[in-house]
Amino acid sequence: MLLVLKANWSLDHHHLAKVGTEFPRFLERIQGDICGLIHPPCGPFRYFIILVDASTRWSHTCLLSTCNLAFARLLAQIIRLRV
């Protein structure tokens, strides 16, 4: 699921209805999006990734120099949180 907020986004959308009454456990369902190209670039970084846990609304954002690093950053963050 993409986490893109647009200027015309309204609060009338009920996203919890799509989830149902079941709430997933921590890190059971992570939603994320890769955004970029950042212009002007922030040093070597041209992209950023946003991760949100569906159960706790925990979120994390990190900068990426290429899109190829996204999966490695996701795994590193999950390992960091599990320990």
Side-chain angles (χ1 to χ4, degrees):
M1 179 176 195
L2 299 178
L3 298 174
V4 179
L5 296 179
K6 298 180 180 178
N8 61 355
W9 186 79
S10 69
L11 295 176
D12 295 331
H13 293 83
H14 299 287
H15 297 289
L16 292 179
K18 294 179 183 177
V19 174
T21 57
E22 253 179 62
F23 290 104
R25 294 183 315 230
F26 182 57
L27 296 181
E28 189 173 307
R29 191 176 83 212
I30 297 176
Q31 301 165 334
D33 193 15
I34 301 172
C35 304
L37 291 165
I38 299 173
H39 185 74
C42 181
F45 305 110
R46 298 183 151 273
Y47 302 90
F48 62 96
I49 186 170
I50 302 167
L51 304 171
V52 178
D53 177 59
S55 63
T56 62
R57 301 294 182 218
W58 163 88
S59 64
H60 179 72
T61 304
C62 62
L63 295 170
L64 304 170
S65 55
T66 67
C67 288
N68 297 337
L69 296 174
F71 187 69
R73 292 290 174 101
L74 171 65
L75 285 179
Q77 192 62 34
I78 290 171
I79 292 168
R80 199 173 296 135
L81 289 169
R82 288 282 184 180
V83 174

